[in-house]
Amino acid sequence: MAVTASESRLEERWRDILSVHARTMCEIDRVLHPHGLGASDFEVLDRLAAETPVEGDHCRVQNLVGQVHLSQSALSRLIGRLEKDGLVERSVCVEDRRGVWVALTPRGRALHAEVRPLQRAALLRMLDAPAD
């Protein structure tokens, strides 16, 4: 089966997107590594900071699943690591015992504020950079 020019361009665009994503994630991982975070860790902290702007606010883990590019089980493991590091707290939802709340700790909020400029600078470098 022959590939049409249109299919070839579409495939090339898709591969370009994947390449930019991979390079950007690696750069974010690189700049956040000295702070004990990876790109996915930061993404969860960043989403929590946006969803819970006031200290003491919390968010259902289920709400995060649709916002981050992780499966529910991978997100649960990541939240477990963040909790172990003292960056988030989990609690059971009283109204629905199957639900789990997650909240930034003061330490998590402070670390997010500290590294956010590093992540944003990496995004700017990678996404404003001319293509290879």
Side-chain angles (χ1 to χ4, degrees):
M1 178 177 203
V3 176
T4 67
S6 175
E7 287 173 330
S8 182
R9 283 191 303 276
L10 184 62
E11 196 172 274
E12 186 176 322
R13 277 184 59 206
W14 174 242
R15 289 188 175 136
D16 287 346
I17 290 167
L18 290 175
S19 178
V20 168
H21 178 266
R23 287 193 314 265
T24 303
M25 291 294 279
C26 286
E27 179 63 8
I28 293 169
D29 279 338
R30 186 188 68 75
V31 300
L32 297 181
H33 180 74
H35 301 274
L37 297 174
S40 294
D41 302 323
F42 177 83
E43 187 63 23
V44 170
L45 294 178
D46 200 43
R47 296 290 182 154
L48 281 171
E51 293 276 328
T52 62
V54 177
E55 191 168 327
D57 283 353
H58 53 269
C59 173
R60 282 184 73 127
V61 171
Q62 188 60 37
N63 294 351
L64 294 174
V65 170
Q67 297 178 12
V68 296
H69 300 285
L70 297 170
S71 67
Q72 187 165 356
S73 61
L75 177 60
S76 290
R77 287 190 303 274
L78 188 148
I79 289 172
R81 287 192 310 273
L82 294 175
E83 184 178 36
K84 182 179 167 199
D85 293 342
L87 303 176
V88 302
E89 295 174 332
R90 282 190 284 193
S91 58
V92 174
C93 178
V94 176
E95 301 85 26
D96 175 5
R97 307 258 331 140
R98 295 170 298 173
V100 176
W101 294 108
V102 64
L104 286 171
T105 63
R107 181 175 174 202
R109 203 169 286 283
L111 182 58
H112 172 261
E114 178 185 342
V115 300
R116 186 175 186 266
L118 301 174
Q119 188 264 1
R120 297 305 196 258
L123 287 178
L124 190 60
R125 272 194 313 280
M126 299 308 294
L127 300 179
D128 279 354
D132 293 341

